[in-house]
Amino acid sequence: ATEEDLVVAKQKKAALAEHDKLLRKFRYADALDRSLASQRPEVVFAVVEEIRARGGLDLALRGLRDDINTLISFMAKHIRDPRYSKDAIAISTMLLGADGAEILQTDDPMDPNVAHGLEVLRERTKEEVDACE
């Protein structure tokens, strides 16, 4: 190329985040787990919304069986934030309702941490729903 030639720099593609790669492979539980590991609510709720839009939220929650306490704690922490309360209430309702009983059902007795987390989540969900009414 000569001095007068215009050289266009090649643009790099933005790398997909790990949770996005997992979503593309329909590995919803792994994507949710990876987003929870980030501890960034905007990421977690974006992943939840994408999984819900694809109709795989119950599947993702079932796949989180071992890490369900992380999700419960996260929802309890962020349910009062107006930016995320709608999604947090929806997920909390699933976890606390009939779907949650099926999701949390195992042969082992319930972990006391999970039981306590569910109780805290139940109280905060009720407070938030009451405040919205």
Side-chain angles (χ1 to χ4, degrees):
T2 65
E3 222 175 88
E4 295 175 5
D5 291 343
L6 179 65
V7 178
V8 177
K10 187 174 182 179
Q11 292 181 348
K12 286 186 174 181
K13 283 186 183 179
L16 285 177
E18 188 66 27
H19 58 270
D20 286 327
K21 291 177 187 176
L22 293 167
L23 283 171
R24 290 184 69 191
K25 295 177 184 177
F26 301 99
R27 293 175 51 196
Y28 299 142
D30 294 335
L32 184 54
D33 187 42
R34 191 57 54 111
S35 69
L36 283 166
S38 77
Q39 285 295 309
R40 294 177 50 207
E42 63 275 8
V43 172
V44 174
F45 287 107
V47 169
V48 165
E49 189 59 38
E50 180 62 28
I51 293 171
R52 186 187 317 171
R54 295 178 180 202
L57 190 55
D58 60 335
L59 183 66
L61 294 176
R62 289 178 213 284
L64 270 186
R65 191 174 303 252
D66 296 333
D67 297 319
I68 200 72
N69 201 34
T70 305
L71 178 66
I72 291 168
S73 299
F74 188 87
M75 290 301 141
K77 180 178 178 181
H78 293 286
I79 197 164
R80 294 179 176 154
D81 188 329
R83 296 173 294 177
Y84 312 117
S85 62
K86 177 184 167 198
D87 290 327
I89 288 171
I91 293 168
S92 299
T93 303
M94 284 183 74
L95 289 170
L96 296 170
D99 292 339
E102 190 176 317
I103 291 166
L104 297 170
Q105 187 176 19
T106 63
D107 295 333
D108 302 327
M110 186 178 289
D111 179 351
N113 291 330
V114 172
H116 175 70
L118 283 172
E119 187 56 38
V120 170
L121 184 61
R122 181 177 288 109
E123 290 170 10
R124 290 190 183 167
T125 302
K126 183 179 180 335
E127 289 170 7
E128 191 61 29
V129 169
D130 289 346
C132 289
E133 292 178 346

